[in-house]
Amino acid sequence: VVFGGFSPDSLAGRIEDCKSSFLITADEGVRGGRRIPLKANADAAIKRSGHVEKVLVVKRTGADVNWVEGRDVWYHEACAAASADCPAEEMAAEDPLFILYTSGSTGKPKGVLHTTGGYLVYTSMTHQYVFDYHEGDIYWCTADVGWVTGHSYIVYGPLANGATTLIFEGVPNYPDASRFWQVCDKHKVNIFYTAPTAIRALMREGEEPVRKTDRSSLKLLGTVGEPINPEAWLWYYRVVGNERCPIVDTWWQTETGGILITPLPGATPLKPGSATRPFFGVKPVVVDSDGKVLEGPCEGNLCIADSWPGQMRTVYGDHDRFVQTYFSTYPGRYFTGDGCRRDEDGYYWITGRVDDVLNVSGHRMGTAEIESALVAHPKVAEAAVVGYPHEIKGQGIYAYVTLVAGEEPSEDLRKELVQWVRKEIGPIAAPDLIQFAPALPKTRSGKIMRRILRKIAENDYQNLGDTSTLADPGVVEDLIANRMNR
């Protein structure tokens, strides 16, 4: 399953990597009042990748679509011809269940492989205990089903527990900013799980869109996808939950399959902005840059010291990459790629990515993938992408772009490059800020000093650290003078 907002190129890359021969799509999707041409995107992706022999198409809007006889099949027609009797297939515990692609710090997305037994046990158990699920509860996770949160906590975990799980096609602010709370009232939702990005966006609209709804059915609130800032946590608790619903601020990843660090409602004293303590059996450790395990209150790199049932088993088709990515930085431990702080009560505070992966609205984007898209534009010679603090999305995408000789920066070209990335990868990867740079800060060996680029993007250029190893220190002054985030 892939996110419906991906471009044909991104979809083609995923089809190519897993050699998919069967594709399920819809004529169109609907998001925030706009139609998404899913079938047209699928057709374009298939043309680029080959492999696909059958396409099953769900009729969603009834739009006219291109049709390939012998390949394309309407879902409703296939259902009408199928038997109602469908015995369950018995699977071994380690049989593959699904592949889900996640961005890495190198350009090509990784096919995260989860297996049947451990993953289902883990999503079922975490869904039951983290959300205090009881039979009859109405549960709603607002994630897109194409990301891991949708897999684990819309589909597999809730359904393994026989829960009523609500699936939502839409956005939080369409047709107006009360949409989430109207849905909660209409369906008497008890458990509500969403992203800090959505909470921050709704905070901007004020309290009135929330206050004019009832929300009395809610008993528990959750957050997922990125660290939640204490201001947003308190607004969520006070305004949405009327100070009576505990908040479970959950930390986990595509690779972990399910929640690893989380409060347990009613049992864990809460601290706004902290994921609190590890779930049963999970053994987090904090290490310094040399891999030394830090004890007590500290700050460093978050690793997991021992296995848990829901962890990924491999990168599909590339087990060496699996070992290199997750187990080589700190041998014998799973390295999460996240930094964290542990306080005097043993509570964990996630501080963000420590590698070249951005967390944009709770979705991981590899900087290399965005850089590759920018450099594919005929007017771009070089690009470097970093994150910067964004009040809605958590992290925004900041691109430094060096043009080929003879090309001049302009506002039109800036807009063109944003659209270019949207087309190459999808809207989620579109840069928020583009700074045209005559040159990038590099060491004498040619390595781009991303630490400096991050500081400038964060408007924290007083503390750039040692720049003596740069081939041309003067580059930095130009970047500071023309920075976009002030």
Side-chain angles (χ1 to χ4, degrees):
V1 178
V2 301
F3 173 53
F6 278 135
S7 69
D9 272 349
S10 292
L11 180 57
R14 287 153 173 79
I15 291 170
E16 182 71 41
D17 188 73
C18 69
K19 306 287 186 280
S20 175
S21 61
F22 196 108
L23 186 69
I24 305 172
T25 188
D27 49 6
E28 292 180 318
V30 181
R31 188 172 173 85
R34 293 184 303 114
R35 293 184 171 202
I36 316 294
L38 295 179
K39 177 65 163 65
N41 287 348
D43 287 340
I46 292 166
K47 199 172 282 184
R48 285 166 215 193
S49 65
H51 298 297
V52 175
E53 296 163 14
K54 286 287 179 191
V55 179
L56 192 62
V57 186
V58 176
K59 186 171 278 194
R60 168 67 180 88
T61 65
D64 286 335
V65 292
N66 175 55
W67 200 257
V68 178
E69 287 299 337
R71 185 196 74 181
D72 297 352
V73 179
W74 282 114
Y75 173 75
H76 60 274
E77 291 177 1
C79 282
S83 167
D85 183 37
C86 182
E89 187 70 35
E90 193 171 294
M91 307 297 284
E94 287 299 295
D95 284 344
L97 182 63
F98 64 81
I99 303 165
L100 191 57
Y101 285 86
T102 185
S103 288
S105 54
T106 56
K108 187 184 173 193
K110 304 185 291 287
V112 169
L113 181 88
H114 282 291
T115 55
T116 305
Y119 173 86
L120 284 171
V121 165
Y122 199 70
T123 54
S124 162
M125 187 177 184
T126 48
H127 174 261
Q128 180 177 344
Y129 289 117
V130 173
F131 300 106
D132 192 29
Y133 171 73
H134 289 82
E135 194 171 339
D137 283 344
I138 307 295
Y139 166 85
W140 181 21
C141 167
T142 70
D144 188 290
V145 79
W147 301 108
V148 75
T149 306
H151 279 54
S152 296
Y153 297 111
I154 293 178
V155 181
Y156 291 107
L159 294 184
N161 291 334
T164 300
T165 179
L166 199 148
I167 299 181
F168 175 69
E169 182 186 46
V171 293
N173 55 0
Y174 181 86
D176 60 50
S178 296
R179 182 71 168 139
F180 271 1
W181 325 121
Q182 291 161 355
V183 172
C184 286
D185 286 353
K186 179 179 179 180
H187 296 285
K188 300 290 180 275
V189 172
N190 308 119
I191 302 161
F192 180 77
Y193 193 34
T194 196
T197 303
I199 297 163
R200 287 191 291 263
L202 294 171
M203 265 176 80
R204 286 181 87 176
E205 305 296 326
E207 297 183 12
E208 177 55 25
V210 189
R211 298 282 191 208
K212 69 183 189 184
T213 59
D214 179 52
R215 291 161 289 108
S216 60
S217 61
L218 290 173
K219 69 171 190 177
L220 184 138
L221 304 172
T223 70
V224 59
E226 60 189 307
I228 183 168
N229 50 310
E231 297 80 10
W233 192 102
L234 288 164
W235 187 87
Y236 195 29
Y237 179 73
R238 189 173 52 81
V239 179
V240 176
N242 288 336
E243 299 186 27
R244 58 178 182 78
C245 299
I247 293 176
V248 288
D249 170 6
T250 63
W251 176 84
W252 57 295
Q253 302 174 311
T254 305
E255 295 89 339
T256 73
I259 294 162
L260 293 193
I261 303 179
T262 177
L264 293 176
T268 310
L270 304 175
K271 293 186 184 183
S274 172
T276 73
R277 314 274 317 244
F279 188 69
F280 309 137
V282 174
K283 298 177 182 173
V285 290
V286 183
V287 302
D288 66 14
S289 54
D290 296 323
K292 178 171 171 285
V293 175
L294 304 174
E295 304 294 344
C298 58
E299 186 160 348
N301 302 304
L302 179 61
C303 294
I304 310 296
D306 207 346
S307 290
W308 63 99
Q311 74 179 77
M312 70 182 283
R313 298 304 197 257
T314 190
V315 170
Y316 183 72
D318 194 349
H319 194 69
D320 284 347
R321 189 178 180 196
F322 173 61
V323 175
Q324 283 301 315
T325 303
Y326 302 105
F327 300 98
S328 65
T329 311
Y330 303 109
R333 300 188 173 92
Y334 168 83
F335 177 42
T336 66
D338 280 343
C340 83
R341 176 169 64 81
R342 186 171 57 218
D343 69 17
E344 60 284 353
D345 296 321
Y347 279 37
Y348 290 82
W349 303 72
I350 307 300
T351 53
R353 300 296 295 177
V354 297
D355 55 16
D356 292 328
V357 176
L358 307 179
N359 191 328
V360 180
S361 300
H363 302 312
R364 276 166 53 182
M365 291 297 316
T367 55
E369 198 176 357
I370 306 170
E371 289 166 2
S372 298
L374 284 164
V375 173
H377 189 282
K379 294 182 180 178
V380 175
E382 195 169 30
V385 171
V386 296
Y388 72 98
H390 190 289
E391 64 172 6
I392 301 298
K393 299 197 286 189
Q395 261 192 315
I397 298 172
Y398 192 118
Y400 296 88
V401 172
T402 302
L403 299 177
V404 298
E407 293 295 343
E408 290 297 321
S410 68
E411 189 54 36
D412 285 346
L413 180 55
R414 196 190 309 274
K415 290 175 181 170
E416 184 182 324
L417 292 175
V418 170
Q419 290 306 315
W420 176 268
V421 175
R422 287 176 69 99
K423 180 177 76 68
E424 289 284 308
I425 303 175
I428 197 158
D432 298 284
L433 297 172
I434 293 179
Q435 178 174 345
F436 292 111
L440 297 173
K442 294 178 183 175
T443 62
R444 291 180 182 86
S445 64
K447 184 184 174 197
I448 295 172
M449 294 279 276
R450 289 171 188 278
R451 168 178 58 81
I452 291 172
L453 295 179
R454 282 192 199 98
K455 289 284 188 186
I456 295 170
E458 291 165 2
N459 202 26
D460 180 20
Y461 54 90
Q462 305 295 344
N463 184 26
L464 293 179
D466 180 22
T467 59
S468 61
T469 58
L470 290 177
D472 178 7
V475 166
V476 176
E477 291 166 24
D478 180 84
L479 291 173
I480 291 171
N482 294 293
R483 67 193 186 281
M484 302 297 293
N485 178 28
R486 295 170 186 255

